[in-house]
């Protein structure tokens, strides 16, 4: 039973207060892996059964792992997977790559469109003009129906004023993710 639902940012999606991100869940049989694909699928199934419906992915391999877990656990419930072009703003060739990055993730998840799509700010300084150009490009994908909601992912507190300005001046950002990790609580 989900009792802690909330609207995710400016989207119309009602999400669970807690979600699952994939970065810290190595899967496989190597000495560095602590979950088998079956164990991960069981974890995802238990979370969905308990009411978790928000899942966050970053790197492409995480999208593959989550898609595999969804298939193994036969997840058919309404879930929201946030797909991301990690460090997209740091990639000086983002204009050429962004569509293919979105489409790769859609194919892996077997989606026709992304309910949530994040553009990663990365760890480099981002000029305001680049951020707004990327948001305009994402707006085009939204109008086309390729994505439903535009997000920004940022780990650097010093970039928050830039994002805040973009929110005020463009009104194109539907949701934001910021890093808070119990193990790595320091801001960078």
């Amino acid at each position: 039973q989900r009792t802690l639902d909330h609207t995710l940012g400016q989207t119309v999606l009602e999400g669970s207060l807690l979600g699952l991100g994939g970065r810290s869940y190595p899967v496989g049989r190597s000495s560095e892996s602590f979950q088998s694909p079956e164990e991960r699928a069981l974890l995802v199934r238990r979370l969905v059964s308990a009411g978790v419906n928000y899942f966050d992915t970053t790197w492409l391999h995480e999208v593959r792992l989550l898609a595999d877990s969804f298939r193994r656990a036969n997840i058919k419930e309404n879930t929201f997977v946030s797909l991301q072009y990690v460090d997209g703003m740091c990639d000086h060739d983002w204009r050429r790559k962004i569509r293919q990055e979105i489409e790769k993730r859609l194919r892996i998840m077997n989606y026709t469109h992304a309910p949530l799509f994040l553009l990663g700010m990365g760890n480099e300084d981002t000029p305001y003009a680049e951020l707004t150009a990327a948001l305009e490009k994402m707006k085009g994908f939204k109008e086309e129906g390729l994505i439903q909601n535009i997000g920004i992912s940022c780990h650097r507190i010093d970039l928050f004023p830039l994002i805040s300005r973009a929110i005020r001046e463009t009104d194109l950002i539907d949701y934001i993710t910021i890093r808070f990790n119990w193990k790595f609580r320091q801001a960078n």
Side-chain angles (χ1 to χ4, degrees):
Q1 173 182 351
R2 257 193 316 265
T3 58
L4 300 175
D5 285 348
H6 69 286
T7 303
L8 180 62
Q10 293 188 83
T11 73
V12 297
L13 304 176
E14 291 292 323
S16 51
L17 187 57
L18 297 175
L20 176 70
R23 187 105 197 252
S24 302
Y25 297 92
V27 174
R29 304 252 182 243
S30 75
S31 61
E32 293 183 19
S33 300
F34 58 86
Q35 284 188 317
S36 69
E38 295 80 14
E39 291 166 329
R40 182 177 172 90
L42 181 61
L43 170 67
V44 169
R45 166 51 56 210
R46 285 183 180 163
L47 289 170
V48 170
S49 295
V52 172
N53 70 347
Y54 176 77
F55 294 85
D56 181 72
T57 61
T58 54
W59 302 102
L60 203 54
H61 74 279
E62 291 176 31
V63 179
R64 288 185 185 105
L65 290 174
L66 185 61
D68 179 69
S69 292
F70 275 24
R71 281 189 292 277
R72 288 174 188 268
N74 197 27
I75 302 293
K76 302 288 185 203
E77 293 88 343
N78 286 335
T79 55
F80 305 114
V81 177
S82 183
L83 302 172
Q84 182 177 169
Y85 179 18
V86 179
D87 296 341
M89 292 305 309
C90 293
D91 186 339
H92 300 290
D93 201 17
W94 68 263
R95 285 171 177 81
R96 186 182 62 78
K97 292 181 180 177
I98 193 164
R99 176 181 287 277
Q100 66 190 13
E101 292 293 332
I102 293 170
E103 289 175 346
K104 273 189 236 179
R105 286 153 178 81
L106 293 177
R107 279 191 302 277
I108 292 167
M109 289 302 299
N110 199 26
Y111 286 176
T112 57
H113 63 278
L116 300 162
F117 196 87
L118 289 164
L119 183 61
M121 294 289 289
N123 289 316
E124 293 181 19
D125 288 335
T126 301
Y128 184 71
E130 280 294 288
L131 175 57
T132 56
L135 291 171
E136 286 294 330
K137 188 77 164 169
M138 298 288 282
K139 176 185 173 188
F141 295 138
K142 189 174 180 178
E143 290 168 350
E144 184 182 323
L146 197 58
I147 62 174
Q148 286 181 297
N149 295 284
I150 300 168
I152 293 291
S153 174
C154 184
H155 293 180
R156 287 183 43 195
I157 289 174
D158 63 320
L159 291 178
F160 290 5
L162 182 80
I163 295 169
S164 178
R165 179 180 171 199
I167 290 169
R168 286 189 317 275
E169 293 179 1
T170 70
D171 195 32
L172 294 176
I173 300 172
D174 298 312
Y175 73 113
I176 300 172
T177 64
I178 57 173
R179 178 170 82 176
F180 180 82
N181 183 307
W182 187 257
K183 184 176 178 184
F184 302 107
R185 285 183 263 178
Q186 74 280 0
N188 51 351

